[in-house]
Amino acid sequence: KPRTRKHGSPCFVTLTYSGEYTERAQDLEQTQKDWELYRRKIREIYGDLQYIMVRELQTKNNRQAWHFHILYFNMPWNNFQDFADAWGYSDNVDVERVKPGYQHTQRMAGYIAKYMGKSNDLSNTANKRLYTVSLNLLHPETYTDPLDVHVLLSEIQRSHKSNTSHW
């Protein structure tokens, strides 16, 4: 039975391939299959997690190997070894808890945006989407009517003032 809960801590996970899997890591289609298998294994352990995943090409030392950056939003904190066991292509799976607070959240969002931008710059990945989000991730609402935008901004400003007034 999955060890999940409705609310958990956000965490940032990086999945890389060790040297013995370099050829596998250079095949974009194979890495997609590896991601799907990993995702299913994590789902068996934790249930439906909310995440954004971005695939990035490692160009250091001309290795040209793909790896994954995943920002989980509702991760129950259990055993970090679960990530390495589910991944299976490296013992070195980096897991970082996103500390509470705007500064840390902004930093993680910046990382994800940076990786998405880097992936878009690659000419050999034309028409390939190198990121994905979980189906259960909340999507932002889009406002186009200027009156709606004005009302929303007023609400945000009012909320911000009330949240900071006690400091």
Side-chain angles (χ1 to χ4, degrees), residues 1 48 61 81 135 163 166:
K1 183 175 179 181
D48 286 327
N61 300 328
Q81 188 60 41
L135 294 176
N163 287 337
H166 66 281

Side-chain angles (χ1 to χ4, degrees), residues 48 50-51 108 120 125 160:
D48 286 327
Q50 296 173 331
Y51 63 86
M108 286 300 140
N120 288 337
T125 59
H160 179 70

Side-chain angles (χ1 to χ4, degrees), residues 1-145:
K1 183 175 179 181
R3 293 177 271 173
T4 190
R5 55 183 190 218
K6 219 172 198 183
H7 304 288
S9 301
C11 74
F12 193 71
V13 176
T14 302
L15 304 174
T16 58
Y17 291 86
S18 62
E20 64 192 278
Y21 296 105
T22 296
E23 189 173 314
R24 179 182 205 99
Q26 293 172 335
D27 183 334
L28 188 60
E29 290 180 25
Q30 182 60 55
T31 61
Q32 180 61 30
K33 292 175 187 174
D34 294 343
W35 159 253
E36 291 297 330
L37 180 59
Y38 164 82
R39 190 182 58 77
R40 283 193 298 274
K41 288 178 180 179
I42 288 296
R43 187 175 183 192
E44 287 173 13
I45 298 168
Y46 292 108
D48 286 327
L49 295 174
Q50 296 173 331
Y51 63 86
I52 299 173
M53 179 280 288
V54 181
R55 194 174 340 192
E56 181 188 20
L57 187 62
Q58 176 188 10
T59 56
K60 184 170 61 174
N61 300 328
N62 291 324
R63 186 165 181 234
Q64 301 294 310
W66 292 101
H67 60 280
F68 302 90
H69 300 283
I70 307 129
L71 180 57
Y72 288 106
F73 293 96
N74 60 333
M75 175 57 70
W77 287 98
N78 291 310
N79 183 359
F80 291 156
Q81 188 60 41
D82 291 338
F83 295 101
D85 292 345
W87 180 234
Y89 298 107
S90 173
D91 291 334
N92 186 18
V93 172
D94 185 46
V95 180
E96 180 181 347
R97 176 181 285 185
V98 179
K99 297 174 186 165
Y102 177 76
Q103 178 183 2
H104 301 290
T105 304
Q106 185 180 29
R107 192 175 114 234
M108 286 300 140
Y111 280 149
I112 289 293
K114 177 181 87 170
Y115 297 133
M116 289 174 103
K118 285 171 91 176
S119 297
N120 288 337
D121 292 340
L122 301 171
S123 60
N124 63 340
T125 59
N127 300 321
K128 305 262 189 211
R129 198 170 90 175
L130 300 177
Y131 68 92
T132 189
V133 299
S134 59
L135 294 176
N136 61 351
L137 188 64
L138 298 177
H139 296 275
E141 292 183 39
T142 303
Y143 295 92
T144 56
D145 184 326

Side-chain angles (χ1 to χ4, degrees), residues 150-164:
H150 178 73
V151 169
L152 180 63
L153 288 173
S154 295
E155 289 177 18
I156 291 170
Q157 287 173 339
R158 188 174 31 252
S159 173
H160 179 70
K161 285 179 184 176
S162 67
N163 287 337
T164 57

